């Protein structure tokens, strides 16, 4: 659908040859970004990056062709923004409510190196009622890298803001059997596949050969995904993040997921940066926390 069909308040952010507003899948508003180096797509629902691709390279992110694109439903793939809780919570949406809520686009600018930066804000919804007042902002910068900054501010005068956050990134890989993950050795992790058993990572290079669902704790360093079939290395640099989550549902879970093809588990790996479980954030009144992640890729 052409950009004339999107709301005026979005169209005013268009920049010729750089930013175009479109109606995306499921008629949800979508932002297409074109930098000198790369292209990207972001849905306003969830401020959800569904695609990032360097020119001349396969997509960096995986989004399932089977994903739902519907109001109030999570998108399966890309980068769901997780806040204020991670994982399931009884009677509440899994992974919090901001990934299934509309964000506002506050600013769209070009940056000097031929890139584009977009700043989103989240206005509180009824589901925020249990939290002290807060502000959530999200800055997505598209160059030859993808940089993501989730800024949470405690706007209360007298209460701490307790929360988990996470950028739940689905990476595209050629074949999960040819992938290894480096940078986790020596860390403790909660193994969700074995009832949250606390274990220590011993692998220099983690291979994925069955369901993997691990929360690495006190994990502040960079992680690399080595994709030997694609001959690509993906690097995840981060700050303001004390947890790394590694997830692949493998065969049985994939078959149980309605928004994921049975074989999709072969083409993706989630390596998520955030602050979850015992690394959750307790933010004093008036303070901000900044979770910053930079994704880059290079030949392997
Ligand atoms: C991961 C969790 O981050 O997200 C998994 O560790 C979970 O346990 C997965 O299954 C997907 O969650 P959802 O709510 O998007 O299906």
């Amino acid at each position: 659908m052409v950009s004339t069909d999107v709301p005026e308040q979005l169209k005013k952010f268009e920049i010729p040859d750089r930013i175009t507003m479109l109606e995306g899948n499921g008629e949800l508003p979508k932002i297409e970004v074109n930098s000198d180096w790369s292209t990207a797509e972001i849905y306003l629902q969830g401020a959800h990056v569904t695609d990032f691709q360097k020119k001349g390279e396969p997509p960096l992110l995986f989004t399932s062709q089977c994903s739902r694109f519907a109001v109030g439903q999570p998108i399966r793939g890309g980068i769901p923004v997780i806040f204020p809780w991670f994982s399931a919570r009884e009677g509440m949406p899994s992974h919090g409510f901001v990934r299934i809520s509309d964000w506002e686009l506050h600013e769209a600018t070009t940056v000097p190196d031929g890139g584009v930066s977009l700043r989103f804000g989240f206005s509180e919804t009824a589901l925020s009622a249990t939290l002290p007042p807060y502000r959530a902002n999200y800055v997505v910068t598209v160059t030859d890298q993808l940089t993501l900054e989730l800024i949470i501010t405690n706007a209360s005068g007298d209460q701490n803001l307790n929360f988990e956050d996470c950028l739940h990134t689905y990476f595209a890989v050629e074949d999960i059997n040819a992938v290894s993950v480096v940078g986790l050795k020596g860390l403790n992790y909660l193994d969700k596949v074995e009832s949250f058993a606390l274990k220590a990572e011993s692998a220099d290079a983690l291979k994925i050969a069955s369901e993997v669902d691990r929360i690495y704790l006190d994990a502040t360093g960079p992680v690399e995904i080595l994709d030997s079939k694609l001959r690509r290395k993906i690097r995840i640099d981060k700050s303001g993040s004390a947890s790394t989550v590694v997830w692949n549902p493998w065969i049985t879970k994939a078959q149980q997921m309605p928004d994921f093809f049975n074989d999709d588990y072969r083409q993706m790996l989630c390596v998520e940066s955030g602050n979850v479980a015992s690394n959750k954030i307790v933010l004093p009144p008036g303070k901000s926390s900044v979770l910053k992640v930079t994704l880059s890729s290079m030949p392997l």
Side-chain angles (χ1 to χ4, degrees):
M1 188 155 290
V2 292
S3 62
T4 47
D5 292 319
V6 301
E8 280 304 316
Q9 72 266 28
L10 267 185
K11 277 189 66 188
K12 70 174 190 221
F13 291 106
E14 289 193 324
I15 301 175
D17 301 325
R18 292 291 186 212
I19 297 176
T20 312
M21 305 298 173
L22 297 165
E23 198 175 81
N25 293 332
E27 301 178 5
L28 300 177
K30 178 177 89 169
I31 305 166
E32 268 188 9
V33 177
N34 185 34
S35 81
D36 281 357
W37 315 91
S38 59
T39 55
E41 286 185 359
I42 307 158
Y43 278 77
L44 221 55
Q45 176 167 293
H48 195 129
V49 180
T50 51
D51 187 39
F52 172 74
Q53 183 167 13
K54 272 163 65 178
K55 291 179 181 169
E57 234 187 62
L60 194 79
L61 303 177
F62 169 89
T63 295
S64 177
Q65 296 297 309
C66 191
S67 175
R68 289 179 284 225
F69 285 86
V71 173
Q73 297 290 332
I75 296 169
R76 179 66 68 195
I79 311 180
V81 178
I82 308 302
F83 171 86
W85 61 82
F86 179 83
S87 215
R89 181 170 283 198
E90 201 172 337
M92 304 290 259
S94 167
H95 286 323
F97 47 81
V98 302
R99 73 167 173 168
I100 52 169
S101 303
D102 278 338
W103 288 62
E104 283 174 13
L105 181 59
H106 286 166
E107 194 180 8
T109 52
T110 54
V111 292
D113 50 1
V116 170
S117 191
L118 301 127
R119 188 167 55 83
F120 299 87
F122 181 77
S123 306
E124 297 173 29
T125 68
L127 284 166
S128 300
T130 52
L131 298 174
Y134 65 89
R135 286 191 300 278
N137 285 283
Y138 188 47
V139 182
V140 178
T141 303
V142 180
T143 60
D144 59 333
Q145 307 178 332
L146 182 64
T147 303
L148 311 150
E149 289 163 274
L150 179 65
I151 304 133
I152 306 293
T153 302
N154 182 352
S156 155
D158 55 3
Q159 292 177 70
N160 286 338
L161 178 65
N162 301 314
F163 65 89
E164 294 171 294
D165 61 3
C166 189
L167 298 175
H168 188 310
T169 311
Y170 289 70
F171 292 99
V173 299
E174 179 73 15
D175 173 1
I176 192 66
N177 296 304
V179 164
S180 50
V181 184
V182 176
L184 302 166
K185 190 178 182 184
L187 296 171
N188 287 330
Y189 65 92
L190 300 172
D191 191 345
K192 291 178 78 174
V193 174
E194 290 191 24
S195 309
F196 289 83
L198 182 64
K199 300 181 179 176
E201 183 57 73
S202 57
D204 285 315
L206 175 69
K207 302 283 290 177
I208 314 292
S210 60
E211 183 187 353
V212 173
D213 194 353
R214 300 179 177 183
I215 299 173
Y216 289 88
L217 299 167
D218 306 318
T220 54
V223 176
E224 291 179 343
I225 301 172
L226 313 183
D227 185 337
S228 62
K229 274 214 177 141
L230 206 54
R231 299 204 179 132
R232 175 166 78 177
K233 175 160 86 176
I234 297 173
R235 189 175 161 92
I236 303 150
D237 286 290
K238 61 178 187 162
S239 59
S241 162
S243 320
T244 297
V245 179
V246 178
W247 179 61
N248 181 296
W250 213 249
I251 300 167
T252 309
K253 280 263 169 71
Q255 289 167 350
Q256 292 163 358
M257 288 158 60
D259 54 351
F260 195 75
F261 282 122
N262 288 355
D263 274 350
D264 276 352
Y265 77 95
R266 293 176 188 269
Q267 264 84 56
M268 56 70 69
L269 179 66
C270 284
V271 177
E272 313 165 27
S273 303
N275 300 283
V276 310
S278 57
N279 295 133
K280 74 172 188 289
I281 291 183
V282 179
L283 195 62
K287 298 288 183 199
S288 295
S289 89
V290 183
L291 164 60
K292 181 173 179 182
V293 176
T294 301
L295 309 178
S296 56
S297 61
M298 55 225 77
L300 181 62

